[in-house]
Amino acid sequence: MATQKISDDSFETDVLKAQGPVLVDFWAEWCRPCKPIGEALEEISEEMLGEVSIVKLTIDDNPLVASRLNVRVIPTLMLFKDGKLQDSRSGGMPKSKIVEWLRDNI
């Protein structure tokens, strides 16, 4: 299972009403640090299959959720559990730190 692309319209269903923890990657095509994070998240989605769902929201095409959640820097990763924001991180970070952060919070 790879990461799933979501939209402003599907955010409530795909994230807030989802079963289990969901990691949302707020990103943009023009964002240089977003690319390595995106690649790491693809790997993590396979490695942590069944533990966490990973979704991607492009802020250029879907500005409403990003604005509502005050996303000011990309990449921003937000972890939701039971429809509530559990924790978030902004800026680039290596795959090992993302996995460590996820394991500490799911």
Side-chain angles (χ1 to χ4, degrees):
M1 176 186 151
T3 59
Q4 174 189 351
K5 292 181 181 176
I6 64 167
S7 66
D8 284 339
D9 292 337
S10 70
F11 183 82
E12 184 174 345
T13 301
D14 293 334
V15 177
L16 301 181
K17 293 182 177 178
Q19 295 292 327
V22 179
L23 175 65
V24 182
D25 175 21
F26 292 89
W27 71 287
E29 199 62 51
W30 48 263
C31 168
R32 291 182 101 169
C34 293
K35 293 194 186 331
I37 292 250
E39 292 168 4
L41 291 176
E42 288 295 329
E43 293 175 12
I44 293 168
S45 72
E46 294 288 335
E47 294 166 6
M48 296 184 73
L49 185 63
E51 295 177 69
V52 63
S53 298
I54 301 177
V55 300
K56 300 175 69 66
L57 187 97
T58 307
I59 64 163
D60 290 335
D61 298 333
N62 302 284
L64 299 177
V65 170
S67 176
R68 190 169 69 223
L69 294 172
N70 288 324
V71 174
R72 302 280 184 238
V73 174
I74 56 171
T76 290
L77 303 177
M78 291 188 172
L79 181 63
F80 289 82
K81 238 166 128 174
D82 300 320
K84 294 181 176 48
L85 179 62
Q86 182 80 17
D87 199 7
S88 66
R89 294 285 185 268
S90 295
M93 68 175 112
K95 177 183 168 186
S96 61
K97 290 292 182 190
I98 298 170
V99 170
E100 180 181 323
W101 172 65
L102 283 171
R103 296 240 182 254
D104 287 347
N105 286 284
I106 59 173

